[in-house]
Amino acid sequence: MSLRLAADAERTPSVADDGVWLTCIACGAQFAPFDDVRYTCDDCDGLLEVRYADHPTFEDFSGSGVWRYADALPFDEGVSLPEGNTPLHEVPRIRDEVGVRALRVKHEGMNPTGSFKDRGMTVGVRVAQRVGVDRLACASTGNTSAALAAYGARGGMETLVLLPAGKVAAGKVAQAALHGARILEVDGNFDNCLDRVQDLAARGEVYLLNSLNPFRLEGQKTIGLEILEECYADYGAFPDRIVLPVGNAGNTSALFKAFRELVQSGALRPDQVPKLTGVQAAGASPMVEAVEEGHDEIRRWRNVETRATAIRIGNPVNAPKALPGIRETGGTAVAVCDEEITAAQRALARRASASSRPRPVRSRASGASGATASWARTNASSVSRPATC
């Protein structure tokens, strides 16, 4: 199934429910969105995308936060705390040091539980209610567990989180526990946890809300929509490049989907779409490997290590969506070592008064990834690879 930036809109199938359906990106099979619990294609096990009969333009959006973009989402409202509408900081000192015309940092840490995962959960938990489940689960490196527990509690649902033993920030474990989640520690890394929770979901014991669930990514599209709107309001133009940290590659996939839908609605021309650049820690960089070597698929890294725990992932499940997003937009992917990550984290805090948990923060190239995402207007057409640490 084509993920081209300028692909024609899909015809509405008979399985659509109020103009919403699921399509397999691998074989094109189509499914009703809410008649059954479904994470991947029944026919080929490929990733699913949520598709819509109608795509809105910027003029259709109103209100604030994630649900400002209800016309681009499967429901008019979700299970909300509320979330979204996070600040897009100006960072003039870093902008001048980097040498770009404009640079902003999107601070997703201002969401209710402290990460962009809240955007996905407000949609995902609402879908769980719609399909009639009452037990939610996820594998997590920290942020997803906190978001799932909070939004599950808000929706009156039981939550289960699987964490790699000894490799999750204590504050995130405490957040999940505070909201009443049942916490299971698993020997191994995040990918091992995801394997286990997928097994539970396949048996129908839990509703999976990792980003393998296509509805999670619908809420995360709103990061890109907010960036585009605020950029255009401030500069009269859309950003040249958006740089994102990559763990499971959900945000890269989500933003690319948001841009494709805007192109299909006529709100955005293909040449106005920002280049997507993914940043991974050098010790957990299978996406970078695939981009640099020209592969269509990633190779699973069995052993990954980085102090940036949120992106310590060796098998990004959304790579089949994210790799086309990087390539179709003319973007790239880069790896940074832990020393660069912590140095850039300090620089962001000291020169921009914006804090972030350890995850890639680009400070020596043409873009930066701050608390969660950022964008830059720049004369450069690519992001340079950092020197070896």
Side-chain angles (χ1 to χ4, degrees):
M1 189 66 189
S2 175
L3 293 182
R4 290 183 299 108
L5 182 61
D8 293 334
E10 192 173 344
R11 289 186 178 181
T12 306
S14 59
V15 296
D17 184 335
D18 196 23
V20 182
W21 68 95
L22 296 169
T23 293
C24 174
I25 68 167
C27 73
Q30 298 168 321
F31 305 96
F34 311 120
D35 68 340
D36 198 3
V37 173
R38 181 177 284 111
Y39 310 107
T40 58
C41 178
D42 294 1
D43 298 338
C44 73
D45 203 36
L47 296 182
L48 299 175
E49 266 199 345
V50 182
R51 297 285 169 89
Y52 302 96
D54 299 304
H55 297 298
T57 65
F58 291 111
E59 288 72 26
D60 295 313
F61 302 140
S62 63
S64 180
V66 165
W67 293 99
R68 166 179 172 78
Y69 305 103
D71 283 350
L73 300 173
F75 302 106
D76 291 333
E77 59 183 1
V79 177
S80 183
L81 287 177
E83 52 291 312
N85 196 28
T86 54
L88 195 61
H89 292 298
E90 295 187 13
V91 286
R93 291 176 62 189
I94 297 177
R95 177 201 65 206
D96 293 344
E97 291 173 9
V98 171
V100 295
R101 288 175 290 166
L103 176 66
R104 301 281 283 272
V105 174
K106 184 75 165 164
H107 194 349
E108 286 294 285
M110 297 302 289
N111 279 300
T113 74
S115 83
F116 68 85
K117 304 294 176 68
D118 297 346
R119 295 178 184 265
M121 291 302 174
T122 184
V123 177
V125 176
R126 176 68 184 88
V127 174
Q129 291 179 332
R130 175 66 183 271
V131 299
V133 299
D134 57 10
R135 181 183 296 171
L136 313 176
C138 71
S140 181
T141 56
N143 289 329
T144 305
S145 64
L148 180 77
Y151 282 81
R154 182 72 165 179
M157 298 177 173
E158 181 182 351
T159 57
L160 170 69
V161 299
L162 278 70
L163 309 174
K167 295 184 178 180
V168 175
K172 287 299 176 181
V173 178
Q175 270 186 285
L178 183 64
H179 290 292
R182 183 182 178 190
I183 300 170
L184 299 179
E185 290 193 315
V186 175
D187 288 335
N189 57 30
F190 168 84
D191 301 307
N192 302 128
C193 293
L194 186 58
D195 290 341
R196 299 271 187 97
V197 78
Q198 284 183 259
D199 288 342
L200 292 174
R203 296 201 299 264
E205 297 183 23
V206 296
Y207 183 69
L208 178 66
L209 271 173
N210 282 97
S211 60
L212 177 67
N213 186 318
F215 290 104
R216 258 276 310 271
L217 301 187
E218 293 305 290
Q220 291 168 216
K221 290 188 310 189
T222 62
I223 298 171
L225 297 174
E226 286 182 4
I227 291 173
L228 293 188
E229 284 197 306
E230 189 163 350
C231 176
Y232 197 85
D234 290 349
Y235 301 97
F238 298 114
D240 172 73
R241 185 181 299 273
I242 297 176
V243 184
L244 300 154
V246 173
N248 247 339
N251 279 340
T252 307
S253 306
L255 267 64
F256 180 49
K257 185 172 187 291
F259 300 156
R260 283 163 33 221
E261 291 173 349
L262 288 170
V263 169
Q264 288 178 356
S265 75
L268 200 64
R269 298 192 313 270
D271 65 338
Q272 293 177 311
V273 172
K275 299 175 180 66
L276 291 174
T277 292
V279 185
Q280 291 189 298
S285 53
M287 282 276 292
V288 176
E289 179 182 71
V291 170
E292 290 185 342
E293 297 182 6
H295 298 317
D296 293 331
E297 299 177 349
I298 64 152
R299 175 181 63 88
R300 179 171 180 164
W301 286 25
R302 296 289 177 180
N303 299 306
V304 291
E305 190 53 57
T306 172
R307 68 186 63 164
T309 57
I311 57 169
R312 189 192 285 146
I313 295 173
N315 187 35
V317 296
N318 287 296
K321 298 177 179 179
L323 285 171
I326 289 172
R327 288 171 172 146
E328 283 286 307
T329 62
T332 189
V334 296
V336 290
C337 63
D338 282 1
E339 290 75 16
E340 281 191 303
I341 293 172
T342 53
Q345 182 188 20
R346 287 193 296 270
L348 184 64
R350 295 173 183 177
R351 300 173 197 169
S353 297
S355 62
S356 67
R357 283 177 293 280
R359 47 172 71 89
V361 181
R362 296 285 291 149
S363 62
R364 292 194 290 153
S366 62
S369 179
T372 294
S374 70
W375 58 265
R377 293 281 301 171
T378 171
N379 291 318
S381 60
S382 63
V383 176
S384 62
R385 185 175 176 83
T388 303
C389 293

